[in-house]
Amino acid sequence: MPTRRPAGGGEVVLERVPQKAKPPQMYQVVMLNDDYTPMEFVVVVIQEFFGKDRETATQIMLKIHLDGKGVCGVYSRDVAATKVDQVLDAAKQAGHPLQCVSEPIE
């Protein structure tokens, strides 16, 4: 918010007062386990939409399989929503019931 202060010749000079902008709320994209979607499909989706290498994608897939869910990435709200849509579209086209959600990070 600029503040006004008089300058030498009667003119007014605006000074910029720095404001602390807080970082945007971040969201994690979480894939949920099901008993029908093939593990290989999940690995390929993680590689394709989250830019993970095969080994990392496999580790995330195993976490989803063993823990019931796994975080694929952390993004701004809009990017997270797009990632969720991409995963759900790919799963639907392939005929798999894979579920994916985004959750705000506390």
Side-chain angles (χ1 to χ4, degrees):
M1 185 86 140
T3 57
R4 293 179 181 267
R5 79 178 163 85
E11 69 272 10
V12 174
V13 176
L14 291 179
E15 268 184 48
R16 196 174 275 284
V17 178
Q19 291 187 340
K20 294 197 189 285
K22 64 180 188 176
Q25 171 78 56
M26 298 301 283
Y27 290 76
Q28 58 187 10
V29 177
V30 179
M31 252 187 242
L32 308 177
N33 188 50
D34 64 69
D35 295 330
Y36 306 102
T37 304
M39 292 179 175
E40 180 60 28
F41 178 79
V42 175
V43 170
V44 169
V45 164
I46 293 169
Q47 286 180 277
E48 186 175 333
F49 298 120
F50 299 95
K52 306 296 184 190
D53 60 44
R54 182 156 186 84
E55 184 178 335
T56 304
T58 301
Q59 290 172 351
I60 294 170
M61 177 275 295
L62 288 172
K63 179 165 179 45
I64 295 164
H65 181 68
L66 297 172
D67 297 348
K69 66 180 185 176
V71 176
C72 298
V74 175
Y75 307 94
S76 65
R77 186 180 69 185
D78 292 344
V79 173
T82 299
K83 297 283 185 191
V84 168
D85 289 344
Q86 289 173 327
V87 169
L88 295 177
D89 286 347
K92 185 177 180 181
Q93 286 179 13
H96 299 305
L98 182 63
Q99 290 299 302
C100 186
V101 297
S102 67
E103 313 173 326
I105 295 177
E106 298 302 322

XYZ file of all heavy atoms in Angstrom:
818
model
N 0.856 -1.168 0.000
C 0.000 0.000 0.000
C 0.903 1.233 0.000
O 1.697 1.392 0.920
C -0.862 -0.037 1.264
C -1.868 1.036 1.316
S -3.319 0.499 0.444
C -4.559 1.118 1.466
N 0.818 2.076 -0.995
C 1.670 3.273 -1.019
C 1.275 4.243 0.093
O 0.119 4.352 0.457
C 1.388 3.884 -2.382
C 0.687 2.833 -3.172
C 0.037 1.929 -2.190
N 2.283 4.890 0.649
C 2.014 5.946 1.629
C 2.446 7.259 1.010
O 3.353 7.296 0.185
C 2.790 5.718 2.942
O 4.177 5.635 2.643
C 2.346 4.444 3.626
N 1.789 8.343 1.413
C 2.110 9.654 0.847
C 2.994 10.418 1.827
O 2.746 10.414 3.025
C 0.819 10.447 0.611
C -0.047 9.839 -0.460
C -1.321 10.661 -0.610
N -2.179 10.100 -1.612
C -2.165 10.469 -2.885
N -1.378 11.424 -3.296
N -2.978 9.898 -3.749
N 4.019 11.051 1.275
C 4.815 11.956 2.100
C 5.199 13.157 1.245
O 5.480 13.006 0.054
C 6.023 11.241 2.693
C 7.169 11.059 1.772
C 8.341 10.375 2.476
N 9.235 9.872 1.467
C 10.184 10.587 0.880
N 10.386 11.835 1.218
N 10.930 10.063 -0.051
N 5.157 14.326 1.843
C 5.486 15.530 1.070
C 6.960 15.549 0.678
O 7.810 15.130 1.434
C 5.157 16.687 2.018
C 4.819 16.088 3.331
C 4.766 14.606 3.192
N 7.235 16.006 -0.520
C 8.622 16.164 -0.979
C 8.986 17.647 -0.864
O 8.148 18.485 -0.517
C 8.744 15.663 -2.408
N 10.246 17.948 -1.188
C 10.750 19.302 -0.988
C 9.932 20.408 -1.629
O 9.644 21.416 -1.017
N 9.488 20.293 -2.887
C 8.835 21.384 -3.594
C 7.320 21.360 -3.475
O 6.634 21.895 -4.319
N 6.770 20.728 -2.444
C 5.333 20.694 -2.260
C 4.656 19.547 -2.998
O 3.480 19.300 -2.811
N 5.418 18.834 -3.863
C 4.788 17.696 -4.533
C 4.751 16.486 -3.589
O 5.465 16.432 -2.602
C 5.503 17.345 -5.851
C 6.885 16.756 -5.722
C 7.992 17.803 -5.660
O 7.713 19.015 -5.536
O 9.147 17.385 -5.727
N 3.899 15.547 -3.910
C 3.745 14.351 -3.072
C 4.425 13.177 -3.774
O 4.243 12.968 -4.974
C 2.245 14.029 -2.846
C 2.068 12.718 -2.117
C 1.600 15.173 -2.074
N 5.233 12.440 -3.011
C 5.929 11.267 -3.544
C 5.295 10.025 -2.934
O 5.086 9.962 -1.721
C 7.438 11.307 -3.183
C 8.138 10.047 -3.647
C 8.080 12.548 -3.774
N 4.954 9.078 -3.787
C 4.402 7.816 -3.285
C 5.550 6.862 -2.981
O 6.442 6.676 -3.798
C 3.470 7.181 -4.320
C 2.159 7.916 -4.581
C 1.370 7.177 -5.655
C 1.352 8.018 -3.316
N 5.503 6.275 -1.795
C 6.498 5.269 -1.427
C 5.816 3.914 -1.379
O 4.734 3.789 -0.815
C 7.052 5.570 -0.029
C 8.277 6.420 -0.024
C 8.818 6.594 1.378
O 8.943 5.588 2.097
O 9.091 7.736 1.749
N 6.490 2.931 -1.938
C 5.927 1.580 -1.904
C 6.317 0.912 -0.584
O 7.486 0.840 -0.245
C 6.467 0.775 -3.077
C 5.685 -0.480 -3.356
C 6.184 -1.138 -4.622
N 5.587 -0.614 -5.828
C 4.360 -0.893 -6.232
N 3.571 -1.650 -5.510
N 3.904 -0.401 -7.367
N 5.306 0.469 0.156
C 5.559 -0.244 1.408
C 5.462 -1.737 1.097
O 4.428 -2.206 0.619
C 4.519 0.144 2.497
C 4.754 -0.631 3.767
C 4.566 1.642 2.739
N 6.559 -2.481 1.320
C 6.529 -3.897 0.968
C 5.477 -4.667 1.775
O 5.310 -4.427 2.964
C 7.934 -4.396 1.301
C 8.562 -3.356 2.134
C 7.809 -2.080 1.932
N 4.756 -5.549 1.079
C 3.784 -6.395 1.753
C 4.229 -7.830 1.590
O 4.707 -8.223 0.539
C 2.397 -6.221 1.143
C 1.806 -4.863 1.426
C 0.357 -4.788 0.951
O -0.075 -5.563 0.116
N -0.374 -3.846 1.489
N 4.053 -8.582 2.637
C 4.426 -9.989 2.570
C 3.278 -10.769 1.936
O 2.181 -10.808 2.478
C 4.716 -10.528 3.968
C 5.932 -9.898 4.611
C 6.401 -10.732 5.772
C 7.460 -10.047 6.575
N 8.758 -9.980 6.052
N 3.556 -11.330 0.778
C 2.541 -12.163 0.120
C 2.754 -13.588 0.580
O 3.860 -14.112 0.533
C 2.699 -12.072 -1.388
N 1.678 -14.203 1.055
C 1.855 -15.583 1.499
C 1.789 -16.495 0.280
O 1.093 -16.200 -0.699
C 0.829 -15.969 2.556
C -0.609 -15.970 2.107
C -1.485 -16.374 3.268
C -2.916 -16.563 2.764
N -3.797 -17.047 3.803
N 2.520 -17.607 0.325
C 2.527 -18.508 -0.830
C 1.137 -19.103 -1.054
O 0.353 -19.228 -0.114
C 3.538 -19.587 -0.431
C 3.693 -19.476 1.043
C 3.344 -18.073 1.411
N 0.826 -19.470 -2.290
C -0.502 -20.022 -2.567
C -0.691 -21.365 -1.874
O 0.273 -22.089 -1.623
C -0.508 -20.187 -4.085
C 0.928 -20.282 -4.468
C 1.681 -19.449 -3.472
N -1.934 -21.688 -1.592
C -2.275 -22.990 -1.012
C -1.871 -24.087 -1.998
O -2.168 -23.983 -3.182
C -3.789 -23.042 -0.768
C -4.314 -24.406 -0.360
C -4.043 -24.737 1.083
O -4.422 -23.997 1.964
N -3.365 -25.831 1.322
N -1.183 -25.097 -1.509
C -0.756 -26.196 -2.370
C -1.652 -27.414 -2.137
O -2.217 -27.582 -1.056
C 0.708 -26.552 -2.099
C 1.669 -25.411 -2.389
S 1.626 -24.821 -4.095
C 2.559 -26.114 -4.906
N -1.767 -28.226 -3.184
C -2.629 -29.412 -3.143
C -1.829 -30.636 -3.554
O -1.018 -30.566 -4.475
C -3.812 -29.240 -4.106
C -4.800 -28.209 -3.622
C -4.526 -26.849 -3.717
C -6.007 -28.592 -3.054
C -5.418 -25.908 -3.252
C -6.911 -27.652 -2.593
C -6.610 -26.312 -2.694
O -7.500 -25.386 -2.224
N -2.063 -31.742 -2.844
C -1.419 -32.990 -3.247
C -2.411 -33.821 -4.053
O -3.594 -33.863 -3.732
C -0.892 -33.757 -2.047
C -1.912 -34.118 -0.993
C -1.262 -34.725 0.240
O -0.043 -34.716 0.381
N -2.083 -35.261 1.125
N -1.894 -34.421 -5.113
C -2.721 -35.293 -5.954
C -2.511 -36.715 -5.436
O -1.382 -37.204 -5.372
C -2.331 -35.178 -7.436
C -3.161 -36.145 -8.275
C -2.539 -33.752 -7.918
N -3.617 -37.346 -5.046
C -3.571 -38.659 -4.406
C -4.328 -39.669 -5.261
O -5.469 -39.419 -5.657
C -4.212 -38.587 -2.992
C -4.198 -39.941 -2.316
C -3.507 -37.542 -2.137
N -3.680 -40.793 -5.531
C -4.350 -41.895 -6.226
C -4.786 -42.913 -5.188
O -4.065 -43.178 -4.219
C -3.404 -42.558 -7.228
C -3.754 -42.243 -8.643
S -2.764 -43.183 -9.779
C -1.939 -41.838 -10.577
N -5.984 -43.475 -5.403
C -6.559 -44.430 -4.462
C -6.479 -45.838 -5.033
O -6.637 -46.056 -6.227
C -8.015 -44.055 -4.176
C -8.250 -42.597 -3.753
C -9.736 -42.343 -3.567
C -7.474 -42.260 -2.486
N -6.249 -46.802 -4.147
C -6.152 -48.199 -4.565
C -7.524 -48.773 -4.895
O -8.535 -48.376 -4.319
C -5.516 -49.022 -3.444
C -5.213 -50.439 -3.877
O -4.599 -50.649 -4.912
N -5.651 -51.401 -3.101
N -7.530 -49.676 -5.856
C -8.720 -50.486 -6.106
C -8.223 -51.878 -6.501
O -7.041 -52.074 -6.740
C -9.621 -49.869 -7.191
C -8.957 -49.814 -8.547
O -8.738 -50.891 -9.150
O -8.652 -48.701 -9.017
N -9.121 -52.832 -6.530
C -8.713 -54.212 -6.812
C -8.801 -54.573 -8.288
O -8.691 -55.746 -8.636
C -9.577 -55.183 -5.991
C -9.335 -55.034 -4.497
O -8.203 -54.662 -4.114
O -10.269 -55.277 -3.712
N -9.009 -53.595 -9.160
C -9.266 -53.893 -10.567
C -8.274 -53.258 -11.531
O -7.979 -53.832 -12.574
C -10.692 -53.469 -10.944
C -11.711 -54.087 -10.018
C -12.277 -53.339 -8.988
C -12.083 -55.418 -10.149
C -13.199 -53.912 -8.119
C -12.995 -56.003 -9.281
C -13.545 -55.242 -8.266
O -14.436 -55.815 -7.396
N -7.796 -52.059 -11.221
C -6.881 -51.373 -12.137
C -5.523 -52.083 -12.111
O -4.945 -52.263 -11.040
C -6.707 -49.898 -11.730
O -7.995 -49.286 -11.682
C -5.826 -49.158 -12.723
N -5.000 -52.476 -13.287
C -3.695 -53.159 -13.322
C -2.569 -52.254 -12.817
O -2.551 -51.049 -13.081
C -3.491 -53.479 -14.807
C -4.837 -53.349 -15.440
C -5.612 -52.372 -14.609
N -1.642 -52.851 -12.085
C -0.505 -52.097 -11.540
C 0.287 -51.414 -12.649
O 0.730 -50.281 -12.491
C 0.400 -53.022 -10.725
C -0.225 -53.531 -9.454
S 0.927 -54.624 -8.609
C 0.017 -54.952 -7.107
N 0.449 -52.105 -13.764
C 1.229 -51.545 -14.874
C 0.573 -50.280 -15.409
O 1.256 -49.312 -15.754
C 1.382 -52.587 -15.983
C 2.184 -52.104 -17.175
C 3.616 -51.683 -16.844
O 4.198 -52.201 -15.876
O 4.142 -50.822 -17.563
N -0.756 -50.262 -15.479
C -1.473 -49.073 -15.945
C -1.201 -47.896 -15.002
O -0.943 -46.780 -15.444
C -2.983 -49.349 -16.032
C -3.782 -48.142 -16.470
C -3.845 -47.773 -17.803
C -4.458 -47.371 -15.535
C -4.565 -46.661 -18.202
C -5.180 -46.252 -15.924
C -5.234 -45.895 -17.268
N -1.229 -48.156 -13.703
C -0.977 -47.107 -12.708
C 0.435 -46.551 -12.879
O 0.644 -45.331 -12.862
C -1.198 -47.633 -11.268
C -0.812 -46.583 -10.236
C -2.657 -48.054 -11.082
N 1.415 -47.433 -13.082
C 2.806 -46.995 -13.274
C 2.909 -46.087 -14.503
O 3.523 -45.013 -14.445
C 3.761 -48.211 -13.402
C 5.156 -47.773 -13.837
C 3.835 -48.965 -12.076
N 2.289 -46.489 -15.602
C 2.350 -45.698 -16.839
C 1.681 -44.332 -16.644
O 2.208 -43.304 -17.093
C 1.711 -46.481 -18.016
C 1.520 -45.577 -19.226
C 2.557 -47.686 -18.362
N 0.539 -44.307 -15.963
C -0.168 -43.038 -15.706
C 0.708 -42.102 -14.862
O 0.809 -40.909 -15.140
C -1.528 -43.312 -15.020
C -2.096 -42.046 -14.402
C -2.515 -43.894 -16.019
N 1.355 -42.645 -13.841
C 2.217 -41.825 -12.981
C 3.390 -41.273 -13.801
O 3.747 -40.101 -13.677
C 2.703 -42.626 -11.764
C 1.525 -42.958 -10.847
C 3.779 -41.852 -10.997
C 1.832 -43.962 -9.751
N 3.965 -42.102 -14.654
C 5.062 -41.632 -15.499
C 4.583 -40.538 -16.455
O 5.234 -39.503 -16.602
C 5.637 -42.797 -16.325
C 6.465 -43.768 -15.538
C 6.986 -44.880 -16.431
O 6.301 -45.852 -16.695
N 8.208 -44.727 -16.902
N 3.447 -40.788 -17.099
C 2.970 -39.888 -18.140
C 2.501 -38.545 -17.593
O 2.841 -37.494 -18.136
C 1.823 -40.565 -18.906
C 1.368 -39.765 -20.100
C 0.325 -40.509 -20.925
O 0.313 -41.747 -20.920
O -0.492 -39.823 -21.565
N 1.707 -38.546 -16.530
C 1.082 -37.305 -16.057
C 1.830 -36.613 -14.923
O 1.588 -35.439 -14.646
C -0.370 -37.560 -15.640
C -1.228 -38.038 -16.774
C -1.859 -39.261 -16.717
C -1.390 -37.275 -17.926
C -2.645 -39.714 -17.765
C -2.170 -37.716 -18.982
C -2.797 -38.947 -18.900
N 2.750 -37.336 -14.266
C 3.459 -36.733 -13.140
C 4.963 -36.659 -13.375
O 5.711 -36.251 -12.494
C 3.133 -37.489 -11.844
C 1.668 -37.443 -11.515
C 0.822 -38.463 -11.898
C 1.126 -36.346 -10.861
C -0.536 -38.418 -11.625
C -0.233 -36.282 -10.586
C -1.061 -37.322 -10.970
N 5.410 -37.065 -14.571
C 6.812 -36.906 -14.959
C 7.795 -37.705 -14.119
O 8.945 -37.300 -13.979
N 7.354 -38.830 -13.589
C 8.245 -39.648 -12.760
C 8.943 -40.689 -13.631
O 8.402 -41.137 -14.637
C 7.453 -40.381 -11.661
C 6.592 -39.480 -10.796
C 7.400 -38.505 -9.990
C 6.488 -37.700 -9.058
N 7.149 -36.611 -8.422
N 10.158 -41.076 -13.217
C 10.818 -42.162 -13.932
C 10.164 -43.482 -13.517
O 9.368 -43.527 -12.585
C 12.337 -42.167 -13.669
C 12.674 -42.330 -12.192
O 12.053 -43.175 -11.505
O 13.579 -41.609 -11.720
N 10.504 -44.539 -14.229
C 9.832 -45.824 -14.014
C 9.994 -46.318 -12.577
O 9.050 -46.820 -11.973
C 10.340 -46.858 -15.009
C 9.623 -48.185 -14.840
C 9.653 -49.014 -16.122
N 8.848 -50.202 -15.960
C 7.540 -50.256 -16.134
N 6.869 -49.188 -16.482
N 6.881 -51.384 -15.968
N 11.188 -46.184 -12.042
C 11.445 -46.678 -10.682
C 10.606 -45.915 -9.653
O 9.970 -46.520 -8.785
C 12.937 -46.549 -10.354
C 13.287 -47.127 -9.002
C 14.772 -47.032 -8.694
O 15.584 -46.969 -9.633
O 15.106 -47.009 -7.507
N 10.575 -44.597 -9.751
C 9.791 -43.776 -8.827
C 8.303 -44.070 -8.983
O 7.571 -44.195 -7.994
C 10.072 -42.281 -9.069
O 11.480 -42.049 -8.944
C 9.333 -41.404 -8.062
N 7.851 -44.187 -10.229
C 6.444 -44.486 -10.488
C 6.059 -45.838 -9.880
O 4.979 -45.992 -9.312
C 6.170 -44.471 -11.987
N 6.956 -46.799 -9.981
C 6.698 -48.126 -9.406
C 6.613 -48.042 -7.884
O 5.739 -48.669 -7.266
C 7.795 -49.124 -9.847
O 7.803 -49.185 -11.274
C 7.538 -50.514 -9.281
N 7.492 -47.254 -7.271
C 7.452 -47.090 -5.810
C 6.136 -46.443 -5.367
O 5.538 -46.868 -4.378
C 8.641 -46.238 -5.340
C 9.968 -46.948 -5.460
C 11.152 -46.035 -5.187
O 11.012 -44.815 -5.069
N 12.333 -46.617 -5.094
N 5.681 -45.434 -6.099
C 4.405 -44.781 -5.761
C 3.251 -45.774 -5.935
O 2.361 -45.858 -5.081
C 4.183 -43.520 -6.630
C 5.232 -42.451 -6.290
C 2.771 -42.966 -6.429
C 5.261 -41.262 -7.247
N 3.288 -46.547 -7.023
C 2.235 -47.545 -7.260
C 2.189 -48.556 -6.119
O 1.111 -48.925 -5.637
C 2.488 -48.255 -8.592
C 1.492 -49.366 -8.916
S 1.909 -50.965 -8.174
C 3.435 -51.358 -9.002
N 3.352 -49.010 -5.649
C 3.378 -49.980 -4.545
C 2.842 -49.360 -3.265
O 2.144 -50.029 -2.484
C 4.801 -50.517 -4.341
C 5.283 -51.464 -5.437
C 6.756 -51.784 -5.268
C 4.449 -52.743 -5.447
N 3.140 -48.091 -3.033
C 2.593 -47.405 -1.861
C 1.066 -47.342 -1.953
O 0.370 -47.586 -0.967
C 3.183 -46.009 -1.726
C 2.629 -45.235 -0.538
C 3.466 -44.031 -0.214
C 2.915 -43.232 0.947
N 2.478 -43.994 2.092
N 0.552 -47.023 -3.137
C -0.903 -46.989 -3.339
C -1.480 -48.373 -3.055
O -2.477 -48.520 -2.337
C -1.243 -46.551 -4.786
C -0.804 -45.107 -5.037
C -2.732 -46.717 -5.063
C -0.751 -44.707 -6.505
N -0.834 -49.406 -3.577
C -1.307 -50.783 -3.422
C -1.293 -51.222 -1.956
O -2.250 -51.830 -1.475
C -0.430 -51.713 -4.266
C -0.830 -53.143 -4.195
N -2.008 -53.617 -4.736
C -0.202 -54.220 -3.643
C -2.094 -54.920 -4.510
N -1.014 -55.311 -3.858
N -0.226 -50.888 -1.248
C -0.068 -51.361 0.134
C -0.797 -50.496 1.162
O -1.340 -51.012 2.134
C 1.424 -51.441 0.495
C 2.243 -52.441 -0.333
C 3.719 -52.298 -0.032
C 1.766 -53.873 -0.068
N -0.808 -49.182 0.941
C -1.386 -48.262 1.942
C -2.796 -47.800 1.583
O -3.425 -47.085 2.354
C -0.498 -47.019 2.104
C 0.883 -47.359 2.644
O 1.088 -48.507 3.108
O 1.767 -46.489 2.605
N -3.270 -48.142 0.390
C -4.611 -47.729 -0.017
C -4.643 -46.405 -0.756
O -5.630 -46.069 -1.395
N -3.550 -45.645 -0.655
C -3.447 -44.391 -1.399
C -2.000 -43.942 -1.421
O -1.193 -44.372 -0.594
C -4.348 -43.302 -0.816
C -3.975 -42.813 0.568
C -4.961 -41.741 1.017
C -4.528 -41.138 2.347
N -5.416 -40.039 2.739
N -1.697 -43.067 -2.379
C -0.334 -42.563 -2.491
C -0.317 -41.208 -3.174
O -1.119 -40.944 -4.068
N 0.604 -40.357 -2.731
C 0.736 -39.010 -3.293
C 1.592 -39.076 -4.554
O 2.704 -39.605 -4.532
C 1.388 -38.053 -2.264
C 1.607 -36.670 -2.878
C 0.529 -37.957 -1.017
N 1.054 -38.541 -5.637
C 1.761 -38.540 -6.925
C 2.499 -37.233 -7.174
O 3.416 -37.183 -7.980
C 0.775 -38.788 -8.055
S -0.028 -40.388 -7.930
N 2.079 -36.150 -6.518
C 2.730 -34.863 -6.705
C 2.011 -33.772 -5.940
O 0.894 -33.970 -5.462
N 2.679 -32.622 -5.815
C 2.128 -31.461 -5.104
C 2.157 -30.272 -6.054
O 3.192 -29.988 -6.666
C 2.958 -31.155 -3.830
C 2.459 -29.889 -3.153
C 2.907 -32.339 -2.864
N 0.992 -29.611 -6.173
C 0.838 -28.544 -7.168
C -0.068 -27.446 -6.634
O -0.741 -27.609 -5.625
C 0.198 -29.116 -8.447
C 0.912 -30.312 -8.998
C 0.513 -31.604 -8.656
C 1.997 -30.165 -9.847
C 1.187 -32.721 -9.156
C 2.675 -31.278 -10.353
C 2.264 -32.545 -9.998
O 2.927 -33.637 -10.493
N -0.144 -26.345 -7.399
C -1.144 -25.318 -7.112
C -2.522 -25.930 -7.376
O -2.636 -26.976 -8.020
C -0.919 -24.092 -8.001
O -1.130 -24.452 -9.356
N -3.576 -25.270 -6.916
C -4.920 -25.829 -7.022
C -5.309 -26.164 -8.459
O -5.815 -27.256 -8.743
C -5.941 -24.865 -6.416
C -7.345 -25.475 -6.373
C -8.336 -24.524 -5.788
N -8.518 -23.416 -6.729
C -9.251 -22.345 -6.487
N -9.856 -22.205 -5.343
N -9.365 -21.400 -7.396
N -5.083 -25.231 -9.378
C -5.508 -25.436 -10.769
C -4.739 -26.578 -11.434
O -5.312 -27.390 -12.153
C -5.335 -24.160 -11.589
C -6.301 -23.061 -11.157
O -7.279 -23.381 -10.446
O -6.078 -21.906 -11.528
N -3.425 -26.633 -11.191
C -2.619 -27.694 -11.791
C -3.028 -29.047 -11.207
O -3.180 -30.035 -11.938
C -1.108 -27.432 -11.585
C -0.278 -28.616 -12.054
C -0.689 -26.164 -12.312
N -3.263 -29.101 -9.906
C -3.693 -30.353 -9.269
C -5.021 -30.823 -9.863
O -5.189 -32.007 -10.169
C -3.809 -30.171 -7.758
N -5.954 -29.907 -10.052
C -7.260 -30.260 -10.623
C -7.098 -30.808 -12.039
O -7.762 -31.778 -12.421
C -8.190 -29.048 -10.618
N -6.197 -30.210 -12.817
C -5.944 -30.685 -14.173
C -5.352 -32.089 -14.153
O -5.747 -32.953 -14.937
C -4.990 -29.721 -14.909
O -5.612 -28.438 -14.982
C -4.663 -30.212 -16.312
N -4.403 -32.328 -13.248
C -3.790 -33.663 -13.133
C -4.851 -34.706 -12.796
O -4.873 -35.792 -13.376
C -2.699 -33.670 -12.054
C -1.536 -32.754 -12.332
C -0.597 -33.329 -13.347
C 0.627 -32.437 -13.521
N 1.425 -32.826 -14.668
N -5.737 -34.389 -11.856
C -6.812 -35.313 -11.478
C -7.674 -35.629 -12.694
O -7.972 -36.796 -12.978
C -7.663 -34.730 -10.324
C -8.938 -35.542 -10.122
C -6.853 -34.689 -9.031
N -8.057 -34.593 -13.439
C -8.882 -34.796 -14.637
C -8.177 -35.677 -15.664
O -8.794 -36.550 -16.277
C -9.246 -33.454 -15.282
C -10.257 -32.666 -14.459
O -10.904 -33.253 -13.568
O -10.391 -31.451 -14.718
N -6.879 -35.460 -15.862
C -6.119 -36.252 -16.831
C -6.107 -37.726 -16.437
O -6.307 -38.608 -17.274
C -4.678 -35.734 -16.934
C -4.564 -34.395 -17.628
C -3.155 -33.830 -17.567
O -2.428 -34.029 -16.595
N -2.768 -33.120 -18.614
N -5.871 -37.987 -15.147
C -5.822 -39.374 -14.663
C -7.188 -40.035 -14.818
O -7.292 -41.164 -15.316
C -5.351 -39.428 -13.193
C -5.548 -40.822 -12.602
C -3.897 -38.994 -13.078
N -8.244 -39.332 -14.405
C -9.586 -39.911 -14.483
C -9.995 -40.167 -15.931
O -10.616 -41.198 -16.237
C -10.599 -39.002 -13.777
C -10.396 -38.848 -12.263
C -11.410 -37.875 -11.690
C -10.464 -40.183 -11.551
N -9.648 -39.257 -16.838
C -9.955 -39.438 -18.259
C -9.221 -40.656 -18.829
O -9.805 -41.467 -19.549
C -9.582 -38.198 -19.076
C -10.550 -37.038 -18.861
O -11.625 -37.262 -18.281
O -10.194 -35.911 -19.270
N -7.932 -40.776 -18.506
C -7.135 -41.909 -19.005
C -7.697 -43.225 -18.475
O -7.803 -44.212 -19.222
C -5.673 -41.744 -18.594
N -8.072 -43.244 -17.190
C -8.619 -44.461 -16.591
C -9.950 -44.829 -17.250
O -10.198 -45.995 -17.574
C -8.793 -44.276 -15.089
N -10.785 -43.829 -17.453
C -12.102 -44.072 -18.070
C -11.941 -44.623 -19.483
O -12.606 -45.589 -19.864
C -12.909 -42.779 -18.071
C -14.327 -42.937 -18.583
C -15.092 -41.622 -18.482
C -16.514 -41.790 -18.987
N -17.261 -40.535 -18.911
N -11.038 -44.005 -20.261
C -10.813 -44.452 -21.641
C -10.289 -45.885 -21.689
O -10.590 -46.633 -22.612
C -9.834 -43.516 -22.353
C -10.457 -42.191 -22.725
C -9.467 -41.259 -23.414
O -8.396 -41.666 -23.829
N -9.836 -39.989 -23.527
N -9.505 -46.262 -20.664
C -8.935 -47.612 -20.637
C -9.888 -48.603 -19.962
O -9.592 -49.791 -19.885
C -7.596 -47.584 -19.902
N -11.017 -48.099 -19.445
C -11.995 -48.973 -18.806
C -11.624 -49.400 -17.399
O -12.057 -50.453 -16.929
N -10.833 -48.568 -16.713
C -10.419 -48.898 -15.343
C -11.115 -47.967 -14.349
O -11.350 -46.798 -14.645
C -8.906 -48.766 -15.188
C -8.134 -49.675 -16.090
N -8.328 -51.035 -16.126
C -7.173 -49.413 -17.003
C -7.515 -51.572 -17.021
N -6.803 -50.603 -17.571
N -11.395 -48.471 -13.130
C -12.086 -47.654 -12.123
C -11.140 -46.811 -11.250
O -11.522 -46.363 -10.176
C -12.797 -48.710 -11.263
C -11.881 -49.888 -11.312
C -11.300 -49.881 -12.710
N -9.916 -46.582 -11.696
C -8.922 -45.842 -10.919
C -9.483 -44.503 -10.459
O -10.070 -43.764 -11.243
C -7.670 -45.612 -11.772
C -6.500 -44.882 -11.108
C -5.961 -45.687 -9.935
C -5.399 -44.633 -12.121
N -9.288 -44.194 -9.183
C -9.749 -42.927 -8.622
C -8.554 -42.073 -8.219
O -7.536 -42.587 -7.750
C -10.645 -43.168 -7.407
C -11.991 -43.780 -7.761
C -12.788 -42.872 -8.684
O -13.070 -41.733 -8.351
N -13.138 -43.374 -9.861
N -8.724 -40.761 -8.378
C -7.662 -39.808 -8.087
C -8.328 -38.554 -7.535
O -9.367 -38.136 -8.040
C -6.907 -39.517 -9.379
S -5.452 -38.485 -9.190
N -7.763 -37.982 -6.484
C -8.318 -36.782 -5.867
C -7.194 -35.793 -5.550
O -6.028 -36.174 -5.519
C -9.072 -37.114 -4.551
C -10.276 -38.018 -4.833
C -8.166 -37.750 -3.524
N -7.569 -34.542 -5.315
C -6.571 -33.587 -4.817
C -7.037 -33.117 -3.447
O -8.225 -32.953 -3.205
C -6.392 -32.407 -5.773
O -7.539 -31.612 -5.825
N -6.056 -32.940 -2.559
C -6.353 -32.526 -1.182
C -5.453 -31.355 -0.825
O -4.273 -31.368 -1.153
C -6.041 -33.659 -0.191
C -6.549 -35.011 -0.569
C -6.058 -36.104 0.382
O -4.934 -36.031 0.907
O -6.831 -37.060 0.573
N -6.008 -30.359 -0.120
C -5.150 -29.256 0.316
C -4.123 -29.751 1.338
O -4.418 -30.635 2.124
C -6.111 -28.261 0.948
C -7.369 -29.003 1.194
C -7.383 -30.198 0.297
N -2.938 -29.197 1.272
C -1.902 -29.541 2.247
C -2.024 -28.559 3.397
O -2.051 -27.350 3.201
C -0.501 -29.453 1.617
C -0.379 -30.513 0.518
C 0.570 -29.615 2.673
C 0.926 -30.462 -0.205
N -2.112 -29.081 4.577
C -2.262 -28.235 5.788
C -0.973 -27.519 6.088
O 0.074 -28.062 6.068
C -2.685 -29.074 6.993
C -4.033 -29.742 6.801
C -5.168 -28.750 6.524
O -5.164 -27.666 7.131
O -6.033 -29.058 5.701
